[in-house]
Amino acid sequence: MRPADGSFLARLRVAGLVAAHAATYAATVAVLVGTGAAVIGIATGGGFARVKVLLFLAGLAMMAYATARLWPRSPSDLESDGFDGVTVDGRSIPKVPDRTRFQRFVRSLPPSRWLPPAPPTKRVTPAGKLFVASVLVLLASYLLEAQFGIV
């Protein structure tokens, strides 16, 4: 049974925010990698067959890198939540700020632009978002072969 106090709706709202921000990041990375693969594949004379191979190799490399970044370094990594300090209003501050130039760019894209940020303790790590992006890049490579018949 769902609690009647609205906590289910609050958790659902946070999960939606987290998913929207992660999907925006992953889609942006996948589009940039796909565009780069298309430019390189066509410019080198390989056509869409080379684009498909480049997408596969890029997706595989991204997935390997993201998996290595997600892997815990020590047992203490499994116990800590990755947050050191506490702000005045009681929220945690991440050890490493999640604010690179690329992340600010993605944050300015819709739908992330229109949504409030997710709570810091609930956000998907950059490595997690990169893993989702690698799945999208591999999916694009698969679709080029299976749906469009590019061999």
Side-chain angles (χ1 to χ4, degrees):
M1 297 286 298
R2 294 181 187 154
D5 61 357
S7 64
F8 174 75
L9 292 177
R11 287 194 321 255
L12 188 62
R13 180 180 180 276
V14 168
L17 287 173
V18 169
H21 291 299
T24 303
Y25 186 93
T28 303
V29 171
V31 166
L32 291 175
V33 169
T35 303
V39 167
I40 292 170
I42 293 171
T44 58
F48 286 109
R50 186 161 297 156
V51 171
K52 177 191 69 156
V53 170
L54 288 173
L55 282 173
F56 176 76
L57 293 176
L60 199 61
M62 287 169 48
M63 187 173 281
Y65 178 71
T67 301
R69 291 281 315 273
L70 287 168
W71 202 264
R73 291 178 185 78
S74 69
S76 64
D77 286 349
L78 298 174
E79 297 165 3
S80 75
D81 60 358
F83 294 89
D84 272 344
V86 176
T87 62
V88 177
D89 58 356
R91 292 185 295 180
S92 297
I93 302 171
K95 285 182 189 174
V96 180
D98 195 29
R99 304 305 298 175
T100 64
R101 220 180 312 180
F102 181 72
Q103 289 167 334
R104 283 192 300 271
F105 167 70
V106 171
R107 180 81 177 105
S108 70
L109 297 173
S112 289
R113 171 188 348 184
W114 304 319
L115 300 172
T121 57
K122 304 291 184 193
R123 293 180 186 157
V124 178
T125 64
K129 292 184 262 187
L130 186 64
F131 187 85
V132 174
S134 71
V135 170
L136 291 179
V137 170
L138 288 171
L139 180 65
S141 173
Y142 171 74
L143 289 176
L144 281 176
E145 184 169 348
Q147 294 298 317
F148 300 111
I150 296 171
V151 180

